[in-house]
Amino acid sequence: MDRGGVPWRVVTVGRTLSVEAALLANQYPFLAARVELGYWFGLSRAEALLVDVQAADHGHCLEIDIRHEHPRSRRRLIPVLTGEQRQALDRAARIFDTVDGAPVGAEGNYRQRLYRFRSLMSGRREATRLSA
């Protein structure tokens, strides 16, 4: 499965998460879960930030339907092909189990999620550039 080419995806080395990814997961668990789902299922940024994880999980596939918030998008069914994908989906479901993962829930609306995402990723990009 090709997971390359999308610049916002989190890169892990083997099974160990980088320190930055661990901090992201501790500080922003919902955003970290959304980024991980985007990584494993090849979601666009809008799809990852808007998907209702509880409603999207159908066991054998992930239903991505964000047309109510992002009118130009199309409904997609993405099959769960590997054990890693299933585990990532189960982890995200456990995180979102206690809150409303809908587009306007505990995380705020799409604009707020996008702002948080962009600010964290731009800070990460700056740190990577300075360390190189």
Side-chain angles (χ1 to χ4, degrees):
M1 174 182 272
D2 179 29
R3 291 188 302 265
V6 179
W8 63 273
R9 292 185 175 152
V10 172
V11 177
T12 58
V13 179
R15 294 203 178 254
T16 60
L17 287 174
S18 67
V19 174
E20 297 158 353
L23 288 173
L24 175 69
N26 287 335
Q27 195 171 15
Y28 300 101
F30 303 121
L31 182 60
R34 290 180 180 283
V35 169
E36 184 180 16
L37 284 179
Y39 172 79
W40 283 109
F41 291 96
L43 304 179
S44 69
R45 183 176 58 203
E47 288 172 337
L49 293 176
L50 289 172
V51 66
D52 183 357
V53 177
Q54 299 294 337
D57 186 7
H58 291 288
H60 66 286
C61 71
L62 187 67
E63 178 187 8
I64 307 298
D65 189 7
I66 60 169
R67 291 176 292 183
H68 56 281
E69 282 287 321
H70 202 269
R72 293 185 182 204
S73 67
R74 287 189 272 174
R75 180 176 166 261
R76 292 196 313 154
L77 295 175
I78 304 170
V80 178
L81 300 174
T82 65
E84 288 92 359
Q85 286 179 327
R86 181 77 253 162
Q87 289 173 351
L89 195 51
D90 289 341
R91 277 192 302 274
R94 277 194 304 273
I95 290 171
F96 285 100
D97 199 21
T98 58
V99 298
D100 181 18
V104 181
E107 301 173 272
N109 61 23
Y110 177 62
R111 274 195 166 166
Q112 293 166 330
R113 293 176 194 184
L114 185 60
Y115 175 78
R116 191 176 309 116
F117 175 79
R118 283 183 175 165
S119 63
L120 288 170
M121 291 301 140
S122 67
R124 182 171 187 254
R125 207 174 308 128
E126 286 295 319
T128 304
R129 191 179 61 159
L130 292 174
S131 66

